[in-house]
Amino acid sequence: MATEEIVRYYRFALDPNPETLKALERYAGASRWAFNHAHAHLLDQYRAFDERVQVHAQELSGLSAEDIAETLPKTERVKLFKQARTIVQGENRERCKDLKIIDEHRKRVVHKGAPTLDPGELDEDASPMARELHARRVELAAVQASDPKQYAKLKKAELADVRPQVLKLKKQLVSEGAYRPGGMDIEALWRSTRDLPKDQGGSPWYSGINVYAFTSGFGRADEAWKNFMNSAAGKRAGKRVGMPRFKKKGRARDSFALYHDVKNPAIRLDDPRHLTMPGIGTVRLEAHARRLRRVLRRGQAVISSVTVTRGAHRWYASVLCRVQQEIPDRPTKRQRANGLVAVDLGSQPLAVLSAPLDIADPESRYFAADKPGAAASKRLARAQRALSRCAKGSKRRRQAAQRVAKIHHLTAERRATHLHHVSKRLATGAAAIAIEGFDLTELTASARGTMDAPGTDVKVRSQFNRSLLDSGLGDLRQQLAYKTRWNGSTLVVLDKNEPTATKCSKCDTRNPTVTPGHKRFNCPSCGHDVDRRHNAAASILKAARREYASVAPDRGDTQNARGGAANPVPETEPAATPMKRPPPA
């Protein structure tokens, strides 16, 4: 058993008093304002860049913007704008040369983490500005070696002179669309104007809020724009990410993050029922936090940050810790006894296993789906009808919206609780868990079709899609990915094109007529007649033993590599495989 550092969340429901509740709402509002402030900067830069691309596209084609959109075919438009973007990117590199030189000078003068200043080397084709700044660094390094006290004063003066120049250049380049600021850049720009009066773009009310609430808002906007840009460029897998939008009070989720300073710990547990946060003070917890307090007192965990979110009528604090956790290097005796277990995931029951986890209990082969959405559907429909009858902007409408949000929130909490229970049982009950690879977006795609090609059995398929989404299969797979790692077992994920649902587990013959609506599977070749879910679990088990391949480190699980070398899975004890640090619980 080896000890590894993992990142883990400890989530607690808060029980704030009225004064603390106002402070939480104020901090969430500050974080929302910071997000909108950063989003405005990034949106201006994006629009300025896009305007320059449009101008170059018109110059290259000799057409107006309307003619480009109406006359040019799509392939030619794509090629034209790609050329225009390439030209603008080249111009941006030229415009950012001075910023790169002076920012490099600032970083070398700060020499964070290094005991002495390193002037660096000067290229032969360096610009006059680079030569001047290099000479100043050489002079500072000489003073540091001869007179450290004088060097401290000169360093402070040098940074006071350079930092405004860097900010001025960044602000100018952002307005031209030549430089996309990050979260730290936006924070630096905000610090230079936050003390100004409100009518001049300042935010004089910031002093009543911990600065980390603003920092978290800036960082979230930067992350949202990175996701959007990477998705547009094809660097991000999954569904296309849309452009970020401004957050509106009452519609966006209330949330903020506060960071922990090891030298000055401001986030702490004074006792198992009270959490202290900087600027907010001590907040009572609904349930005890003995587990987290125990690992903190033993020195096995260090708090990194706390994220406070609001879910309908409740506030939650998620404490992010770096935990020294013991990771088993092999399965336990009980896990080895069960060996490799295949799991067929569905809507009802939630999971059907190829073999029971407990031989004495045949029912341990099944895990029922809780279906909290279906249970709350009538109450939710009644609450939504009441909401639709209320006048917009009225007090009654706010109260009705709160009732709808409460039902949604309690449904999500109930689903998450059930899925955590199931994933823990599976991760601790077998040496390896094999599941079918699936794309939930494809599985739950709408069957309505189009006007020209309408879908069939739309109502039935809609109910089936709703049932699948209510089961939470995606969350269950994500939980299995890290819980199997924490408990010494392995997760095997088959290729999503593996036809386990329509293949006979005895002779591997396909029966494509079998659909999720059938309860029995009938093999047209060997006559094998069995429950459809049992046959699917047996087919998954057979495929997992036949085509067990290497680990995908970015997924936290194993993948079936089509066309690659297949490693056989032992029935009792699968080989230990390295895996990436799992996501937080």
Side-chain angles (χ1 to χ4, degrees), residues 336-396:
R336 293 196 300 272
N338 288 326
L340 174 64
V341 174
V343 182
D344 178 56
L345 300 176
S347 57
Q348 190 59 263
L350 175 65
V352 176
L353 279 59
S354 58
L357 295 178
D358 186 1
I359 299 178
D361 182 15
E363 293 300 320
S364 62
R365 185 178 182 177
Y366 307 95
F367 288 92
D370 192 39
K371 299 293 184 64
S377 60
K378 291 185 178 180
R379 290 188 294 116
L380 181 61
R382 191 181 305 114
Q384 288 177 328
R385 285 196 298 269
L387 174 64
S388 65
R389 291 193 292 266
C390 296
K392 292 185 178 181
S394 65
K395 181 179 179 181
R396 286 182 181 274

Side-chain angles (χ1 to χ4, degrees), residues 132-412:
E132 179 187 352
L133 295 177
H134 181 267
R136 287 159 65 174
R137 292 198 298 272
V138 171
E139 183 180 352
L140 282 172
V143 174
Q144 183 184 21
S146 59
D147 190 354
K149 292 185 178 180
Q150 181 66 17
Y151 165 73
K153 296 179 181 179
L154 292 177
K155 175 183 175 181
K156 186 176 180 180
E158 182 69 17
L159 291 175
D161 178 56
V162 171
R163 280 171 175 159
Q165 297 181 41
V166 174
L167 291 178
K168 184 178 179 181
L169 273 174
K170 287 182 178 180
K171 194 172 183 180
Q172 177 185 348
L173 293 171
V174 168
S175 64
E176 297 173 356
Y179 178 77
R180 197 186 80 83
M184 299 297 291
D185 297 325
I186 296 172
E187 182 182 358
L189 292 171
W190 171 69
R191 287 177 183 272
S192 65
T193 60
R194 64 184 181 182
D195 293 320
L196 297 175
K198 188 175 181 180
D199 56 354
Q200 298 181 17
S203 48
W205 46 270
Y206 82 92
S207 58
I209 307 292
N210 188 282
V211 70
Y212 285 143
F214 297 95
T215 304
S216 63
F218 297 145
R220 289 174 179 179
D222 182 31
E223 189 68 22
W225 272 90
K226 284 182 181 177
N227 293 337
F228 165 64
M229 300 297 287
N230 291 337
S231 179
K235 299 178 182 178
R236 179 186 171 93
K239 190 178 179 180
R240 181 74 176 267
V241 177
M243 180 183 290
R245 296 178 294 179
F246 288 101
K247 290 188 175 184
K248 183 179 178 182
K249 181 179 179 181
R251 294 186 64 87
R253 188 175 189 180
D254 291 335
S255 176
F256 63 92
L258 302 173
Y259 304 106
H260 186 73
D261 188 358
V262 178
K263 296 181 180 179
N264 184 22
I267 304 173
R268 60 184 186 275
L269 281 168
D270 297 323
D271 59 71
R273 292 298 292 268
H274 292 87
L275 175 66
T276 300
M277 294 178 284
I280 296 177
T282 302
V283 187
R284 189 177 184 274
L285 306 179
E286 281 286 351
H288 67 81
R290 294 193 187 96
R291 188 176 183 182
L292 173 58
R293 194 160 184 259
R294 189 182 303 119
V295 295
L296 289 174
R297 295 179 69 177
R298 291 176 180 174
Q300 298 174 346
V302 177
I303 296 177
S304 297
S305 64
V306 59
T307 302
V308 180
T309 56
R310 181 179 182 177
H313 61 301
R314 303 298 300 273
W315 287 86
Y316 298 89
S318 298
V319 183
L320 178 64
C321 300
R322 298 193 306 274
V323 182
Q324 300 294 331
Q325 183 165 317
E326 293 183 348
I327 304 297
D329 53 2
R330 59 177 299 177
T332 63
K333 183 177 180 181
R334 176 192 172 195
Q335 290 173 326
R336 293 196 300 272
N338 288 326
L340 174 64
V341 174
V343 182
D344 178 56
L345 300 176
S347 57
Q348 190 59 263
L350 175 65
V352 176
L353 279 59
S354 58
L357 295 178
D358 186 1
I359 299 178
D361 182 15
E363 293 300 320
S364 62
R365 185 178 182 177
Y366 307 95
F367 288 92
D370 192 39
K371 299 293 184 64
S377 60
K378 291 185 178 180
R379 290 188 294 116
L380 181 61
R382 191 181 305 114
Q384 288 177 328
R385 285 196 298 269
L387 174 64
S388 65
R389 291 193 292 266
C390 296
K392 292 185 178 181
S394 65
K395 181 179 179 181
R396 286 182 181 274
R397 185 175 180 85
R398 289 196 301 271
Q399 293 174 344
Q402 290 173 359
R403 286 193 291 270
V404 173
K406 183 177 179 180
I407 295 173
H408 278 296
H409 173 66
L410 294 178
T411 301

Side-chain angles (χ1 to χ4, degrees), residues 85-98:
R85 278 194 296 271
T86 303
I87 295 173
V88 173
Q89 289 169 357
E91 292 177 351
N92 289 346
R93 285 191 291 269
E94 290 294 325
R95 295 187 184 190
C96 292
K97 277 186 176 180
D98 290 345

Side-chain angles (χ1 to χ4, degrees), residues 16-53:
N17 55 39
E19 183 178 354
T20 304
L21 187 61
K22 291 182 180 179
L24 295 176
E25 294 174 349
R26 188 168 65 251
Y27 270 62
S31 182
R32 183 173 58 250
W33 178 91
F35 180 95
N36 292 337
H37 179 78
H39 176 53
H41 279 284
L42 292 164
L43 188 61
D44 290 342
Q45 185 272 338
Y46 178 80
R47 287 173 175 171
F49 179 88
D50 189 59
E51 288 176 3
R52 291 170 55 200
V53 171

Side-chain angles (χ1 to χ4, degrees), residues 448-500:
R448 185 174 300 175
T450 61
M451 294 291 294
D452 298 331
T456 58
D457 296 330
V458 177
K459 184 176 181 180
V460 175
R461 291 192 62 181
S462 297
Q463 292 175 347
F464 175 70
N465 293 347
R466 190 181 301 112
S467 181
L468 274 182
L469 293 173
D470 195 13
S471 300
L473 302 184
D475 289 341
L476 180 60
R477 172 174 168 172
Q478 184 184 23
Q479 293 172 17
L480 285 173
Y482 67 87
K483 289 187 179 182
T484 50
R485 170 68 177 132
W486 288 358
N487 292 279
S489 54
T490 305
L491 178 64
V492 183
V493 182
L494 301 182
D495 190 275
K496 69 176 183 179
N497 297 319
E498 185 73 27
T500 55

